[in-house]
Amino acid sequence: MDERARQKTVQRVCIASMVANGVLFVLKAVAAVCTHSDSMAGDCLHTLSDLGTTVIVLIGCALAARKADAEHPYGHEKLEYIASIVLGVLLAAVGASLIIDGVKTLRSGGVVVQNGMFAVLAAVASIAVKECMFWGTRHYAIKIGSGALRADAWHHRSDALSSVGSLIGVWCAMAGFPKGDSIAALVIGALIALSGIAVIAKSAERIDDHAAPKEIEAYIASLAAGAENVKRAAVLRTRLHGGVFFAELAIYVEPELTVLQAHETATCVHDLIEEKTDGLKHVTVLVYPYFGKSQIQ
């Protein structure tokens, strides 16, 4: 998929997400005001953060799509994952805020929920919509290889889980256990905070020059080893760069080959690997003479 098509996909998914979150936010806000439910208020705040982080994803992906230039010869792909880290920090902060508020309410004896069925209906609607958003966003995230969209998908899932907590809390309050709603708010906050920490951890791997998975390195080496004139191939190193990765590869050829033949072999290997390997932005091919049990120098 070319970058223009990828960017259009991100925009469509983000706009659909923002519209759905806007509707859910209004529904939950009205439900929170009418019912005085802490868990519903927390769920409402989570949806608002979801709306804001989708904007961050949209901006991050747009920045990451910019072409390489003289000052950024490797491109801007890491910006997408920096946006994901910002998203994760916001999630963790929202979760921590809900936990603090939940503890305060618990100490005061909990809350009395009014018009509880309204909150129940709002929570059920949120769970259904958010699960659909999770699977839809996740599908496109995998399709185009977007870490920011994948993070946004899990944000939708955490919002669905917070709605489950809100539903349980409201039922507890309606059943005569006023602290149940506050406990649910605490659980919601913890889930949101943990999801934020998970997003930060996964995104950090993509911006600290982490190596690509071993199976990908083995696949690249096997492709090169099967090329004409190549006696042996070995991946020297790889590094993740946002949603793509770079690789350095050593190929061993017969010493009798001319410089031109060795160059043509390296070019064929380079083109083959870049064509057949998903997510690879560039491979550097180094040529060594083959002397049987030679070692990479």
Side-chain angles (χ1 to χ4, degrees):
M1 178 180 291
D2 61 59
E3 194 56 48
R4 181 175 297 180
R6 186 177 187 273
Q7 189 61 24
K8 286 184 177 179
T9 299
V10 171
Q11 290 174 351
R12 287 197 299 268
V13 173
C14 286
I15 290 172
S17 175
M18 290 165 66
V19 170
N21 279 323
V23 173
L24 286 176
F25 170 71
V26 172
L27 176 63
K28 292 179 182 180
V30 173
V33 170
C34 294
T35 63
H36 304 290
S37 168
D38 280 350
S39 60
M40 181 54 66
D43 201 11
C44 175
L45 182 59
H46 191 183
T47 300
L48 180 61
S49 73
D50 212 353
L51 183 61
T53 51
T54 299
V55 175
I56 293 174
V57 169
L58 193 59
I59 295 173
C61 289
L63 292 174
R66 293 185 300 171
K67 293 183 179 179
D69 52 48
E71 294 184 352
H72 305 87
Y74 293 102
H76 302 81
E77 285 84 2
K78 287 186 178 182
L79 292 176
E80 181 178 336
Y81 287 84
I82 291 174
S84 297
I85 289 177
V86 173
L87 185 155
V89 171
L90 289 176
L91 275 176
V94 169
S97 176
L98 291 178
I99 292 172
I100 292 171
D101 290 342
V103 170
K104 290 179 179 178
T105 306
L106 266 180
R107 288 178 175 177
S108 65
V111 296
V112 177
V113 174
Q114 302 173 5
N115 305 309
M117 285 308 299
F118 186 13
V120 169
L121 293 175
V124 170
S126 176
I127 294 167
V129 173
K130 279 296 182 177
E131 273 299 297
C132 291
M133 292 171 68
F134 165 75
W135 288 107
T137 304
R138 182 177 179 273
H139 167 75
Y140 285 107
I142 294 173
K143 183 177 180 180
I144 67 176
S146 172
L149 271 188
R150 188 178 289 109
D152 206 31
W154 283 103
H155 196 178
H156 296 323
R157 167 58 64 82
S158 69
D159 204 0
L161 291 174
S162 73
S163 293
V164 171
S166 177
L167 178 62
I168 294 172
V170 170
W171 273 114
C172 288
M174 291 172 63
F177 182 50
K179 289 188 177 182
D181 186 69
S182 299
I183 293 173
L186 276 172
V187 173
I188 291 170
L191 288 173
I192 296 172
L194 288 174
S195 67
I197 293 171
V199 167
I200 293 170
K202 290 180 180 179
S203 299
E205 287 188 356
R206 293 282 179 165
I207 63 174
D208 72 344
D209 290 339
H210 196 281
K214 292 297 182 183
E215 56 268 24
I216 292 180
E217 293 185 355
Y219 174 72
I220 292 174
S222 67
L223 282 177
E228 186 178 0
N229 293 329
V230 176
K231 307 296 291 184
R232 177 180 169 226
V235 174
L236 299 179
R237 61 182 63 86
T238 57
R239 65 182 181 89
L240 298 177
H241 181 82
V244 297
F245 71 97
F246 293 85
E248 291 184 20
L249 173 75
I251 61 171
Y252 289 79
V253 301
E254 293 288 357
E256 292 77 14
L257 291 184
T258 65
V259 173
L260 178 60
Q261 289 173 322
H263 173 74
E264 289 176 345
T265 298
T267 299
C268 289
V269 170
H270 169 277
D271 294 344
L272 174 67
I273 291 174
E274 289 200 352
E275 178 186 354
K276 297 291 186 180
T277 309
D278 293 334
L280 176 64
K281 185 167 184 178
H282 178 70
V283 58
T284 300
V285 181
L286 305 177
V287 182
Y288 292 87
Y290 181 72
F291 297 112
K293 296 181 179 181
S294 58
Q295 299 295 321
I296 299 173
Q297 301 298 320

